[in-house]
Amino acid sequence: MASPHPLDFFDVRSLLSDEEQAVQDAVARFVDERVIPIIGECFEADRFPMELVPQLAELGLFGVSMEGYGGAGMNSVCYGLVCQELERGDSGLRSFVSVQSSLCMFPIRRYGSEEQRRRWLPEMAAGRALGCFGLTEPDGGSDPGTMKTHARRDGSDWVINGAKMWITNGTLADVAVVWANTDDGVKGFLVERGAKGYVARDIKRKMSLRASVTSELFFDDVRVPEAARLPDAIGLAAPLSCLTQARYGIAWGVLGAASACLAEALEFAGTRVLFGRPLSHTQTIQRRLADMARRLTAGRLLALQLGRLKDQGRMHHSQVSLAKWNNVRLALDAARETRDILGGGGITLDHHAIRHMLNLESVITYEGTETIHELVVGRELTGTAAF
Amino acid sequence: MKILVAIKQVPDKNARLVLDSAGQGIVETDVTWEINESDRYALESALRIKEAGDGSGEVVAVTVGPERARKAISSALAMGADRAIHLADPDFQNGDPLSVARVLAAVVRKEEPQLVLCGTRSDDAGYGETPILLGGLLGWPAVFLTMGIEVADGRVKVVRELEAARQELSSIALPAVLAVQSGIHEVRYTSLKGIMAAKKKTVDQLTPTELGLSREKIGRFGSRLQVLDLAPPVKKSKCEFIEGKPGDAAAALVDRLRRDAKVL
C-alpha cells in the first residue's frame, strides 16, 4: 500500500468524477505555469495581473456553473475546484473570479431581465466586460440591512446616492451591481462605468490582497433608468444569496492556499538542517505538519460534501457559513504556521506563505467575518439570532 | 485533411512507482495517469494543422490501452480532437513496439488519414520505435524528432531535429507518419467548454477481428520482445567537497574531471 499523498491524505480526489478531475488538472496547469511564476511580483508591486484575464476567459473560468449565455454549465464541485486551484496561486486571483462569477454574473442571471442577461453575460464570460459588487459600506459590512446608499424613484429613472467600500475590482469594472435602499426595500441596480456622478477610487496601503484591486465607489445623484434595475431582486435576500454563492467558492478556494502552505512547509522542513538534523525529523515540527494535514483533510471533505449538497439543491446557507468559517480558519492557521516554520526567510516574498497569510487576513474578514459565520451557525442550532 | 494522432497513456511524471511482486511491471492501484508528453505535442500539432485549414479537417485520436486509458482519450477530446478510437480489447495489450505498430497500421488502413502524428517516444517504456515501424508497415515515409510541420499541396515540409542544435528541412509526399518532438509548439490549455464538449464526442472501440488482425501478431502474443526484469536504479553517487583556496580547489577539480571522470 502506497503512503497517502501529503496534500490529500484521504485521497479525496478519488471521490471526484473524471470530468471534475479534468477541470482541476486544467486549472492547476494554468496556475502552475502562468500564475505562480508572477504572482509574488504582482503582490509586491500592488498590481492585479490584468494580462491573465483573457486567459482566464479562454479557459472558461467566468461563469463556470452558469447555464447558457457563454457559461460552461458545470456543476458546483467543478466551480469549487476552480476556486481551489486559483487560490493555490493567490487569494486575489480567486477573488477576481469569485466577484466576476458569483457576485456579478450570478445576480444578473438570477435576478436580471432577459435584456440585461443578453447584454452583459456573454461579454462577462468572455472577460471583455468586468463587474464589481457594491454592498458593503464605509460604516460597516456585517449589518447590510442598515445600508445608507439610497435610490429614489424619479419619473422613469432612479437616482442613487451613497458610497460603497472594500469593493473588489471596483475601478476595473465596466458594470457595478449596486445594492441600495429604496422606499420599497433593498433593490439592485446595474451602474455602468462612466455614469454621471459615479466615481470609483482604489484603496491604497493594503497589506493584503495586493495582487487584487480593492476600491471605494461613490454615487452622487447617479441617474439610471428603470431598465438598469434587477427586476427580480426583492429585498436583502437577493444580495445575501449572491454572498452564499461567493462564500461557497471561498470555502473551496482557501484549501488551495492551505495546501500551497503545507507543501512549502514540508519542502522546507525536509531540507533545512538544524542541530544536525532536518527540521522535519523533530517532534515539534512533525506535530505541526500533522495538524495542518489533519485540518486540510477535514476541510477537503467538508468542501466536497458541501458541493454535493449544492448540486443536489439541498445546501443551506448556514452550511456554507460553517464551511467558510472552518476552512478559512484552517488556511489562515496553516499559513501562519508555515510562515513561522520557514524562519527568517518566511517573512519575504521569496516564499509563498507570508503572501497567503496576509491575503487570508482579508478572506477571514470579507464575505462574512468569522464571528458572523459562527453566529449564523449558532442561530441555526438554537433558533435564535444573537446578532 | 484527416489526421490520426496516436496517443499513449503513461504514469504521471510525479507518480511514485512501485514494482509488482513479479518484478516485471508496476502496481497500478495508486498510479495517476496522463497522456504521454510528446503525444500531447503531436495532438497540438494536429489541431493547429486542422485549424489552419478550410474547416473540413478532422483530428482522430487513437490509443492502444486498457479501460483506464479512456481517461487519456477524454483528455484528448477535451483538448480538441474530433473523435477517438480506443483499442481496449485485452488481445491488443502488453505488446512490444512492433505489435503496437501492427495494430495502428490496421487502424490507419481503415481510417485512411493523410497524416499520422505520434509522439517521439513514450515516457514509460521509451522505446521510440513505434512511429518508424508504423511507417515501415504502411510503406509511408516516417520522420523522427519532428520540430516543424507545414502542410501544402499534398506534401509536408518537415523540420527534423539533428545533433548539436542543427535542423534539417525536408519536403515529404503525403501520406506520412511524423514522430513529433516535445516543444514543437506550446500545448494549449484545456478549457472547461472543451471538457464539456468531449462528453458528446464519439469514441469507437474496435476488436482485432474488426481490424482483420490475428491475436498471434498483436499484444503479448505478437511480441518478440520479452521484459525479463525491472529494477529501480541503484543510488551510487556520492558528494565530495574539495577544500582549499579557490585556485587550488579549481585545479584539483580539473584534475579529478580529467583523471577520474574522464570528461575533459
Side-chain angles (χ1 to χ4, degrees), chain A residues 2-3 19 21-23 26 29-30 33-34 58-60 64 70 72-74, chain B residues 16 18 30 32 70-71 74-75 186-193 195-196 199:
Chain A
S3 287
E19 180 184 311
Q21 291 188 13
V23 168
R29 181 184 158 210
F30 173 76
E33 292 180 358
R34 299 294 166 93
E58 186 81 10
L59 278 165
V64 170
M74 299 191 122
Chain B
R16 287 174 289 182
V18 178
D30 294 312
T32 51
R70 176 62 198 248
K71 206 166 165 183
S74 297
S75 302
E186 189 176 350
V187 175
R188 68 195 56 199
Y189 289 100
T190 301
S191 74
L192 272 54
K193 281 179 192 160
I195 294 168
M196 289 297 269
K199 291 197 288 189

Side-chain angles (χ1 to χ4, degrees), chain B residues 127-158:
Chain B
Y127 296 120
E129 296 169 9
T130 309
I132 305 304
L133 292 168
L134 175 60
L137 291 172
L138 294 167
W140 293 8
V143 178
F144 204 58
L145 295 172
T146 303
M147 277 303 276
I149 305 170
E150 192 185 324
V151 178
D153 306 324
R155 296 184 72 83
V156 56
K157 274 189 191 167
V158 180

Side-chain angles (χ1 to χ4, degrees), chain B residues 19-48:
Chain B
L19 293 183
D20 63 21
S21 52
Q24 292 177 355
I26 57 165
V27 180
E28 294 194 356
T29 329
D30 294 312
V31 174
T32 51
W33 301 85
E34 62 181 8
I35 299 182
N36 181 50
E37 186 185 51
S38 55
D39 300 354
R40 284 201 293 269
Y41 285 95
L43 178 56
E44 175 66 36
S45 301
L47 295 172
R48 287 182 186 221

Side-chain angles (χ1 to χ4, degrees), chain A residues 49-255:
Chain A
M50 269 306 271
E51 66 272 24
L52 297 181
V53 173
Q55 299 168 45
L56 293 166
E58 186 81 10
L59 278 165
L61 304 190
F62 301 138
V64 170
S65 347
M66 190 176 72
E67 291 282 352
Y69 305 97
M74 299 191 122
N75 69 12
S76 302
V77 170
C78 287
Y79 175 54
L81 291 163
V82 167
C83 291
Q84 182 182 302
E85 289 308 315
L86 290 174
E87 196 148 358
R88 192 168 56 78
D90 193 84
S91 301
L93 189 64
R94 198 269 308 138
S95 298
F96 180 89
V97 172
S98 287
V99 168
Q100 180 83 347
S101 299
S102 291
L103 295 182
C104 295
M105 296 171 76
F106 170 79
I108 294 172
R109 178 79 174 82
R110 174 86 169 263
Y111 303 115
S113 66
E114 189 54 35
E115 187 191 337
Q116 288 166 341
R117 292 175 186 169
R118 284 195 190 158
R119 167 148 186 224
W120 290 110
L121 295 177
E123 287 294 293
M124 294 180 87
R128 289 189 293 268
L130 302 180
C132 69
F133 179 86
L135 177 65
T136 294
E137 301 198 343
D139 291 337
S142 295
D143 186 10
T146 59
M147 71 174 72
K148 291 178 181 160
T149 300
H150 189 270
R152 172 174 55 85
R153 192 75 199 244
D154 184 27
S156 62
D157 294 340
W158 292 87
V159 179
I160 304 172
N161 279 286
K164 298 290 179 183
M165 186 80 171
W166 308 118
I167 308 305
T168 300
N169 302 349
T171 56
L172 303 177
D174 301 289
V175 60
V177 177
V178 179
W179 301 93
N181 250 321
T182 71
D183 294 344
D184 188 24
V186 171
K187 293 186 189 300
F189 300 89
L190 300 181
V191 179
E192 291 183 44
R193 180 205 287 275
K196 194 174 172 221
Y198 168 42
V199 175
R201 197 168 65 196
D202 279 344
I203 296 171
K204 297 291 183 190
R205 309 183 73 198
K206 283 186 300 168
M207 298 308 288
S208 176
L209 294 181
R210 288 173 61 82
S212 167
V213 170
T214 314
S215 318
E216 299 172 273
L217 312 180
F218 301 96
F219 304 90
D220 182 11
D221 280 337
V222 176
R223 183 173 287 274
V224 296
E226 165 66 6
R229 185 174 67 82
L230 294 172
D232 295 335
I234 298 161
L236 198 59
L240 293 183
S241 74
C242 303
L243 294 181
T244 300
Q245 304 302 313
R247 289 165 179 171
Y248 167 81
I250 293 169
W252 277 91
V254 291
L255 298 171

